[in-house]
Amino acid sequence: MKKNRSGKILLSFLALAVTIFALSGVKLSAGSFRTGDRPLVICIDPGHGGDDEGAIYKHGGAEIMEKDLNLIIAEALRSELLKYENVTVVMTREDDVKVEPQERADIAYASDADVFISVHINANPDKPSRGCMIMCNVSHYQAPGAKTPDNYMVSSRLGGFLLDYLIEKGLLVSDDMDEYGGFEGIVRRPYSEDGGASKEELYDDGSVADYYYQLRFTAKYGIPAVIIEHAYLSSDEDYEAYLSSADKLAELGVADALAIAETYNLKLIEE
Ligand SMILES: [Zn+2]
């Protein structure tokens, strides 16, 4: 009886070991960051909206608001992603409405999203910065029920491909890497209260949380995330090259989609 029981325990251990091995296999095989045949659920988060305009700069006599450009990029990103097999897209807003930070993460969670893509445009009032940067998860925290075996790695891989495709479009890497504490276009910023206070916010594993709420709130739901800062609205050069028409903005959304498709090994739907 006793012997039999320990045999069962041994079998359980073996099953667990096999499961762990299988999971690490998923982790190592590029692109397979989901389980089964369930569609990949991508939550696109067009930054700002409503009375939160984001950056505002005058170009050609008109006031251009970041919130409007983000929505155009996000809509192009959605259309492009829907050309791939087995993909579902959820948006945190489709109109010019204000959506609270927590609500954005709640929409992703309620939709069972596998990944959260926050769409933004940068600005620097102090110097004529140009280029793109991607904010990736700062912590290796894996919330209970995390969507992938390694959300930090998924965020990083996404960040790398997003940069690749934006740079391929001609964008520079942001001039502000030092100010953001980033490196080669990737920013991982640990939580601190604005104003430089030393207060910390920690995840349940004791690691310092993400500074950016888009990354922090989704990390608590176990969803890997990135923030894409596409170009600088404060730069006449960036504006003219990448932001000054719906077509140019849509091209940024297409670049984002190609990067996501590469990260997840998505296959185009055959015509
Ligand atoms: Zn923004």
Side-chain angles (χ1 to χ4, degrees), residues 37-258:
D37 296 328
R38 183 176 88 77
L40 180 73
V41 182
I42 299 167
C43 184
I44 303 176
D45 173 47
H48 313 284
D51 63 8
D52 169 14
E53 292 97 352
I56 307 178
Y57 282 84
K58 272 202 168 169
H59 290 285
E63 284 212 318
I64 310 293
M65 298 181 186
E66 183 199 344
K67 63 174 184 175
D68 299 325
L69 310 191
N70 291 342
L71 193 54
I72 297 172
I73 296 171
E75 281 169 348
L77 170 56
R78 171 175 59 183
S79 319
E80 201 61 23
L81 284 172
L82 292 176
K83 295 178 181 171
Y84 292 87
E85 287 178 4
N86 217 17
V87 166
T88 300
V89 175
V90 180
M91 306 272 281
T92 58
R93 70 175 177 99
E94 296 181 69
D95 301 296
D96 182 18
V97 291
K98 184 168 186 173
V99 185
E100 296 298 334
Q102 183 62 53
E103 201 184 327
R104 294 174 191 261
D106 289 349
I107 290 167
Y109 183 67
S111 318
D112 203 14
D114 292 287
V115 65
F116 187 84
I117 312 283
S118 196
V119 173
H120 286 257
I121 294 165
N122 221 333
N124 188 338
D126 301 325
K127 65 179 199 179
S129 301
R130 297 189 63 185
C132 58
M133 68 170 79
I134 315 293
M135 282 72 169
C136 296
N137 286 121
V138 74
S139 166
H140 288 269
Y141 174 55
Q142 291 282 101
K147 300 305 283 189
T148 80
D150 189 343
N151 283 358
Y152 176 93
M153 186 192 67
V154 172
S155 174
S156 299
R157 278 180 64 92
L158 254 175
F161 283 131
L162 286 161
L163 273 182
D164 285 351
Y165 280 94
L166 290 172
I167 289 166
E168 205 173 285
K169 284 222 60 64
L171 277 142
L172 304 168
V173 168
S174 166
D175 297 317
D176 293 340
M177 280 297 103
D178 286 349
E179 287 90 328
Y180 282 83
F183 181 67
E184 293 184 346
I186 300 287
V187 173
R188 299 178 202 282
R189 189 167 171 192
Y191 185 86
S192 66
E193 284 206 340
D194 285 318
S198 60
K199 277 196 179 170
E200 285 186 343
E201 183 170 334
L202 307 178
Y203 290 126
D204 284 346
D205 67 350
S207 63
V208 178
D210 284 280
Y211 172 80
Y212 299 103
Y213 76 77
Q214 295 92 339
L215 306 178
R216 188 169 70 252
F217 292 164
T218 49
K220 289 178 181 177
Y221 285 143
I223 303 168
V226 288
I227 303 170
I228 312 171
E229 296 283 0
H230 286 87
Y232 281 75
L233 190 53
S234 48
S235 155
D236 288 339
E237 289 89 346
D238 265 8
Y239 180 77
E240 196 43 53
Y242 304 107
L243 309 174
S244 58
S245 73
D247 285 349
K248 290 174 187 175
L249 292 162
E251 281 184 39
L252 298 178
V254 171
D256 296 342
L258 289 170

